[in-house]
């Protein structure tokens, strides 16, 4: 396994929930983005379908892992909608903001990460 410290969450979900007062823009990034098919597909393509934890190809059974929860959906703040595909085309810096705070990993690698001493 690679150095897991790189994938350690820089802050905690619960702490950021309080910081952002659980606003919708934060919820969209922190809890809803992992279900956004367009974002997931973009992340997989960006990673060339390789899991950065085990360095094996991701065919299926993947999870979006947050490295940093200190963020909110900027497109929602601007236009009151969450559309990752549209965001990437009209506001690429917004998309990059979400992308650099997340990584696609295998389900099993995600479990390993969260059981690791680096993420506690």
């Amino acid at each position: 396994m690679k150095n897991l410290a790189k994938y350690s969450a820089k802050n905690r979900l619960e702490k950021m929930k309080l910081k952002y007062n659980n606003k919708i823009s934060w919820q969209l990034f922190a809890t809803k983005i992992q279900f956004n098919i367009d974002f997931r597909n973009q992340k997989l393509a960006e990673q060339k379908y390789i899991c950065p934890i085990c360095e094996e190809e991701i065919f299926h059974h993947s999870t979006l892992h947050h490295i940093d929860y200190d963020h909110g959906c900027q497109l929602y703040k601007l236009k009151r909608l969450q559309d990752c595909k549209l965001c990437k085309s009209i506001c690429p810096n917004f998309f990059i903001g979400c992308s650099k705070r997340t990584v696609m990993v295998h389900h099993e690698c995600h479990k390993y990460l969260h059981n690791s001493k680096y993420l506690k």
Side-chain angles (χ1 to χ4, degrees), residues 68-108:
D68 186 0
Y69 284 103
D70 194 0
H71 186 65
C73 176
Q74 301 300 304
L75 188 64
Y76 183 82
K77 288 179 183 177
L78 183 67
K79 298 195 175 275
R80 294 287 185 240
L81 61 103
Q82 183 194 34
D83 184 334
C84 296
K85 193 172 187 178
L86 177 65
C87 183
K88 186 174 182 185
S89 66
I90 67 169
C91 304
N93 287 337
F94 290 175
F95 185 88
I96 290 168
C98 293
S99 186
K100 72 181 183 181
R101 291 172 170 87
T102 58
V103 64
M104 290 296 294
V105 297
H106 293 109
H107 286 319
E108 289 302 314

